[in-house]
Amino acid sequence: DAEITQSPRHKITETGRQVTLACHQTWNHNNMFWYRQDLGHGLRLIHYSYGVQDTNKGEVSDGYSVSRSNTEDLPLTLESAASSQTSVYFCASSAQDSTDTQYFGPGTRLTVL
Amino acid sequence: AQSVTQLDSQVPVFEEAPVELRCNYSSSVSVYLFWYVQYPNQGLQLLLKYLSGSTLVKGINGFEAEFNKSQTSFHLRKPSVHISDTAEYFCAVSGFPGGYNKLIFGAGTRLAVHP
């Protein structure tokens, strides 16, 4: 069965370190998204991609970057982790059409000390 | 700009009672509307979506939602809830000019079903 996976599921890091969160989907979807979930804010879009070599900034992109070198993967990098980036991060993917459902991964809980 | 307001942050309800989770949106263009559910320590799962056509949309697990364009609402309902419905529920909207397939989420409503 097709799926979307995230790793690691839990991560503790220190302020200033670079951190990369992995997202891998086997749906062969063109669209991929990264969200962060914080209490009282729901999910907010960090970055998204509509295909290989395409990346776009979302609502809360400062301090984050992504790259899309193949269809299956969209890693999220925190260049210099800050305590404000402590959050739960979700990756999602969807097919080409704007009406298509987004399928979510299980999430990565990141703590920045 | 598009935005979504979920009017209740928490909704407590007894098992087998009906429930309504309220969602209002603002957008200057036609939108697509979604309800997602998040069970504890899991990712989000689609409950239902409104794209066009009939304003009453039926989803999984006995949930349904009604799109009301004049009131810009998309409230989620279930006639009789179960303990297993305890979860967080998110309303979301997508549509131009925000960019296709980009979702704007509400803050979520925590549904707590008590025996």
Side-chain angles (χ1 to χ4, degrees), chain A residues 1 12 14 16 21 29 69 75:
Chain A
D1 286 348
I12 300 175
E14 295 178 342
L21 309 182
H29 284 161
S69 58

Side-chain angles (χ1 to χ4, degrees), chain A residues 9 31 33 35 37 39-43 45 48 50 57 90 94-102 104-106 109, chain B residues 32 34 36 38 41-46 49 51 88 90 94 96 98-108 110:
Chain A
R9 295 293 313 277
N31 305 335
F33 308 83
Y35 297 89
Q37 183 180 24
L39 208 59
H41 290 280
L43 279 79
L45 185 63
Y48 59 101
Y50 289 145
K57 293 182 179 181
F90 288 98
S94 67
Q96 187 83 29
D97 192 86
S98 58
T99 64
D100 287 318
T101 300
Q102 287 191 21
F104 284 78
R109 183 175 296 276
Chain B
Y32 305 125
F34 304 79
Y36 281 84
Q38 184 182 30
N41 299 313
Q42 295 186 26
L44 278 70
Q45 176 184 359
L46 182 71
K49 61 183 177 182
L51 304 179
E88 185 131 25
F90 292 96
S94 74
F96 293 100
Y100 78 92
N101 208 225
K102 283 170 56 181
L103 291 175
I104 306 297
F105 284 88
R110 188 171 298 275

